[in-house]
Amino acid sequence: MYVRSRRRPMGSAMSPLLARSLFVALYVLYPAGCILQLGPDAGDTSPIASIVGLLMVAASFLAFAVLAGSSFQRQAQEPDSKLDERELAQRNRAAYRAFAVFAGLVALGLLYMSLRADFADRILLWAPTEQAHWNALFWGAIMLGLSLPAAFLAWENEPPRSEDRRVGK
């Protein structure tokens, strides 16, 4: 998913450090917010945890929206014909890594669900039981799948070092 604007058709120029910070916020705030909002004791005694969780989820969606218009997301989602050889090679490496991580997480999730079913009578493990749980898992997987290649691109690009900025390189 890439949001192209008329003002910046090549994506907003974002420093790798800012993009990395937004990706970390996205990947930390969303699951933490979902746990606070939908966890086993969420909202039972005090709605504070649920409100904080909702704010964390909203902040993660804001980070996702900002990243959707970034040059990293553009490079991850553009057709091959619009990328030069260097960008295409970087994008292909990032897509390969993103696929490996995403497939590994799906396999771990399936393994967890299988073990939970096998040991449900001996070990109390959490499982999604409500529509809100499945909804949170679904949107988390969508955000991860859409943003992970761009995250690898942001980590592949090195930010300028402070001495390079002073010298004017």
Side-chain angles (χ1 to χ4, degrees):
M1 182 197 85
Y2 167 62
V3 178
R4 185 182 306 276
S5 72
R6 289 187 177 161
R7 274 190 6 210
R8 296 186 185 121
M10 299 304 281
S12 61
M14 185 179 293
S15 75
L17 187 61
L18 175 61
R20 292 171 188 171
S21 301
L22 288 171
F23 282 115
V24 167
L26 174 64
Y27 299 146
V28 170
L29 291 177
Y30 185 78
C34 287
I35 290 169
L36 285 176
Q37 195 175 24
L38 302 172
D41 297 328
D44 286 351
T45 58
S46 173
I48 298 295
S50 184
I51 291 170
V52 169
L54 181 61
L55 290 174
M56 291 171 81
V57 169
S60 71
F61 276 113
L62 180 63
F64 184 72
V66 169
L67 288 165
S70 72
S71 58
F72 296 108
Q73 192 67 22
R74 178 204 61 86
Q75 185 178 352
Q77 301 296 323
E78 282 282 30
D80 292 353
S81 60
K82 294 192 178 199
L83 298 175
D84 62 27
E85 291 175 5
R86 178 191 57 81
E87 289 177 324
L88 192 58
Q90 287 177 334
R91 196 262 315 262
N92 289 343
R93 277 193 306 274
Y96 176 80
R97 291 175 182 151
F99 172 76
V101 168
F102 191 80
L105 289 173
V106 168
L108 282 175
L110 291 172
L111 177 66
Y112 172 84
M113 295 301 281
S114 175
L115 291 174
R116 186 205 171 273
D118 289 344
F119 298 109
D121 56 339
R122 288 177 255 166
I123 302 173
L124 182 62
L125 295 173
W126 178 85
T129 55
E130 300 174 16
Q131 181 62 30
H133 298 157
W134 288 108
N135 199 21
L137 288 172
F138 173 78
W139 287 109
I142 292 293
M143 283 197 304
L144 184 66
L146 289 175
S147 64
L148 205 51
F152 278 106
L153 285 171
W155 254 271
E156 187 174 294
N157 289 332
E158 286 299 317
R161 292 181 296 240
S162 59
E163 64 265 8
D164 290 345
R165 281 185 257 158
R166 282 182 293 202
V167 177
K169 292 184 179 178

